[in-house]
Amino acid sequence: MIVKTIGYTGWKIISVTPTKELALGMNRTRMFTLIILTIMISLVLLGNMYISFAVTDPLRRLDDSVRKLEQSNYDKDNIYIGGSYEIRHLGRTINSMVRQMRKLMDDMVKEQRDKRRSELDALQSQINPHFLYNTLDSVVWMVESERYKDAITMVTSLAALFRISLSKGNNIITIHDEIVHATNYLNIQKVRYKNKFTSGIEVDPAIEECCTIKLIIQPLIENAIYYGALDEDSTIMVKGYEKDGDIYIEVADNGMGMPPETLENLLKEKGRTRGKGSGIGLWNVDQRIRLYFKGNYGLEIESELDEGTTVRIHLPKISYEEYKKGGELS
């Protein structure tokens, strides 16, 4: 009940409101206020979620792209660039850093490969003084014994041997030239060792004009002579053929062979030993092939005790003419 007195008359105005109606108005006001508060809280929460997503989603996508980059060993530039200015700047910076890292890594790999190639090429170009001395000594002995024809053969083979060894500074030659080099080497060694071993060369003419690295057959023959073909009835066979689109050159002997533990370490760097040959051992030949030709190429070795050893050269089939026109070794 509300009472109001009018001053100049003294009358009183009385307003009477039922309690039920007053409580109903308060409930409506309370409900309206609660609805307004709920809407405001929901809007605040949605706004916070939107702002949080707008800030964290670019960071999350940037983190995912960095993780993928780590898994791909820095092979792809897939760094996410988006979001606010700061996140875009961070993404561009990481992208630039990755490109610089990749360039540095490629430069290091190229530098190490070139260094290794130079070392192997220098080793390849060495003239074994013992081999040259023994050959010339044999020539002198033949001349003194008036075996002029044999002496001429030795000198001619030696000249051809070193002519192909030089190859005008080229490391890539034809298989034909490499076989000629191997033939001359065999001729010299047969005379030196007084025909203690026999040899044969069978090469498919279809592969003779394909590419190879020079001086990869001669070290295999040298190993076969020193370690497997100086007994009676010793034989060294050189075969060249094409199989499944690739080229294979085998050097096989019927010597005493090798045990499995020796065979396992032959193509490992830690298993290298410098013997009485030229020093251009199996490991060096294998590494040179792998450096020059991209792919699963190199040496394969099979050996059995008292049966002999076969060393197989695996090369890609690349025409020497195409290579000279600017083709790549692959």
Side-chain angles (χ1 to χ4, degrees):
M1 181 181 294
I2 299 174
V3 179
K4 178 66 177 179
T5 300
I6 301 176
Y8 62 92
T9 61
W11 290 14
K12 294 182 182 296
I13 298 176
I14 301 173
S15 173
V16 179
T17 303
T19 304
K20 291 182 179 180
E21 292 184 4
L22 183 62
L24 181 62
M26 293 178 64
N27 289 336
R28 287 177 178 176
T29 302
R30 187 181 298 111
M31 183 63 65
F32 179 75
T33 303
L34 184 61
I35 291 173
I36 294 297
L37 287 174
T38 302
I39 293 174
M40 290 181 63
I41 291 172
S42 298
L43 289 175
V44 170
L45 290 176
L46 289 174
N48 285 337
M49 290 176 62
Y50 174 77
I51 294 173
S52 175
F53 180 81
V55 173
T56 59
D57 182 65
L59 289 174
R60 180 184 58 78
R61 296 178 66 178
L62 178 63
D63 178 68
D64 290 341
S65 64
V66 173
R67 291 178 184 275
K68 292 179 181 178
L69 182 68
E70 292 175 349
Q71 295 173 358
S72 65
N73 294 324
Y74 306 99
D75 287 338
K76 299 178 181 178
D77 289 328
N78 56 357
I79 296 297
Y80 170 76
I81 299 177
S84 63
Y85 168 78
E86 291 80 4
I87 298 176
R88 291 199 305 271
H89 178 68
L90 180 60
R92 285 192 292 268
T93 302
I94 294 176
N95 237 345
S96 175
M97 181 182 67
V98 169
R99 285 194 293 269
Q100 292 180 11
M101 288 177 60
R102 185 182 294 110
K103 184 176 183 302
L104 289 174
M105 291 171 63
D106 291 342
D107 290 344
M108 289 178 62
V109 170
K110 184 177 182 299
E111 180 181 353
Q112 291 298 320
R113 179 173 295 176
D114 291 343
K115 180 180 178 182
R116 190 63 190 153
R117 180 176 292 182
S118 298
E119 291 175 353
L120 293 173
D121 288 345
L123 180 61
Q124 163 196 302
S125 63
Q126 290 176 353
I127 298 175
N128 183 359
H130 294 291
F131 171 73
L132 181 59
Y133 170 80
N134 290 331
T135 302
L136 293 178
D137 189 56
S138 298
V139 171
V140 172
W141 171 75
M142 290 176 191
V143 173
E144 290 177 348
S145 302
E146 298 183 356
R147 295 174 55 185
Y148 301 120
K149 187 175 181 179
D150 290 339
I152 291 173
T153 300
M154 285 278 282
V155 172
T156 303
S157 298
L158 187 64
L161 187 82
F162 287 123
R163 179 183 62 80
I164 295 178
S165 295
L166 295 175
S167 300
K168 298 180 181 180
N170 297 323
N171 287 319
I172 303 300
I173 61 175
T174 63
I175 292 178
H176 171 77
D177 288 343
E178 180 68 6
I179 293 298
V180 170
H181 180 274
T183 302
N184 289 320
Y185 180 79
L186 278 169
N187 292 336
I188 293 172
Q189 295 292 51
K190 281 183 180 179
V191 176
R192 282 184 56 199
Y193 290 103
K194 300 179 181 179
N195 293 316
K196 286 187 177 180
F197 64 91
T198 59
S199 64
I201 296 180
E202 299 176 3
V203 177
D204 185 354
I207 69 171
E208 288 189 351
E209 294 304 316
C210 293
C211 291
T212 182
I213 306 171
K214 68 179 180 182
L215 303 183
I216 60 173
I217 299 178
Q218 177 257 320
L220 309 188
I221 297 175
E222 185 177 54
N223 279 328
I225 293 173
Y226 287 142
Y227 301 111
L230 290 182
D231 297 328
E232 294 183 1
D233 300 325
S234 296
T235 302
I236 297 176
M237 289 297 300
V238 179
K239 295 182 179 179
Y241 56 90
E242 179 184 351
K243 180 181 178 182
D244 299 329
D246 287 338
I247 292 174
Y248 294 87
I249 301 174
E250 296 181 353
V251 177
D253 65 71
N254 60 347
M256 56 185 172
M258 292 176 286
E261 56 272 15
T262 302
L263 186 64
E264 184 179 356
N265 292 323
L266 274 179
L267 297 182
K268 296 181 180 179
E269 185 173 9
K270 65 179 182 180
R272 288 188 297 165
T273 57
R274 189 176 183 87
K276 54 187 176 180
S278 65
I280 310 176
L282 299 181
W283 184 87
N284 290 302
V285 173
D286 183 65
Q287 289 301 302
R288 287 172 56 219
I289 294 173
R290 293 180 185 276
L291 280 172
Y292 277 90
F293 297 105
K294 301 174 184 178
N296 189 26
Y297 302 107
L299 295 186
E300 305 167 3
I301 306 176
E302 298 176 0
S303 184
E304 292 185 18
L305 287 173
D306 300 324
E307 293 292 333
T309 301
T310 299
V311 182
R312 186 177 300 107
I313 301 171
H314 183 192
L315 301 172
K317 186 178 181 181
I318 302 172
S319 169
Y320 187 75
E321 184 178 352
E322 293 179 1
Y323 167 73
K324 293 300 288 185
K325 290 180 180 178
E328 295 184 355
L329 300 176
S330 59

